[in-house]
Amino acid sequence: MMSIRAHFDGRVIVPDEPVTIARNANLLVWVESEPASKAAIDQAIQNYYLGMSSVEQRADDAWESLRPADQKQAWDED
C-alpha cells in the first residue's frame, strides 16, 4: 500500500510528487479532502507506520514487492 499527495486541477487528480506506478495499472483510490496541513498529514502517516506490528510491517513489505497484477489477484482473493 502506498499513499501519495495530490491535488485536483478541476479535471484530473495530479500527484504532487513523482510516483512509481505501472502505466495503466488498476488502482483503488480513496479520496480524503480536508483542510489539513502538510505537517498534520506527515504526522498521521508517520503514526500509522510507527504503530504497525512486526507482522503488519512484513505484510506491508511483501505487498509492496508484488507486481500490480499479483496485487490485484491477492486483493481479489481477500
Side-chain angles (χ1 to χ4, degrees):
M1 176 185 284
M2 77 161 55
S3 62
I4 61 171
R5 285 190 181 76
H7 64 276
F8 182 65
D9 71 0
R11 193 170 74 89
V12 296
I13 296 172
V14 181
D16 292 337
E17 53 199 32
V19 295
T20 54
I21 300 173
R23 184 179 182 98
N24 296 319
N26 293 320
L27 305 174
L28 178 59
V29 179
W30 283 271
V31 176
E32 184 174 331
S33 178
E34 62 180 43
S37 69
K38 181 180 181 308
I41 293 170
D42 287 342
Q43 186 64 53
I45 292 168
Q46 182 180 24
N47 291 344
Y48 171 80
Y49 284 105
L50 290 175
M52 292 175 86
S53 70
S54 60
V55 171
E56 291 169 322
Q57 184 63 51
R58 284 192 302 275
D60 190 63
D61 292 344
W63 178 265
E64 187 176 312
S65 68
L66 293 175
R67 296 176 307 134
D70 295 333
Q71 288 178 348
K72 181 179 183 328
Q73 180 181 350
W75 182 270
D76 289 344
E77 290 173 358
D78 277 351

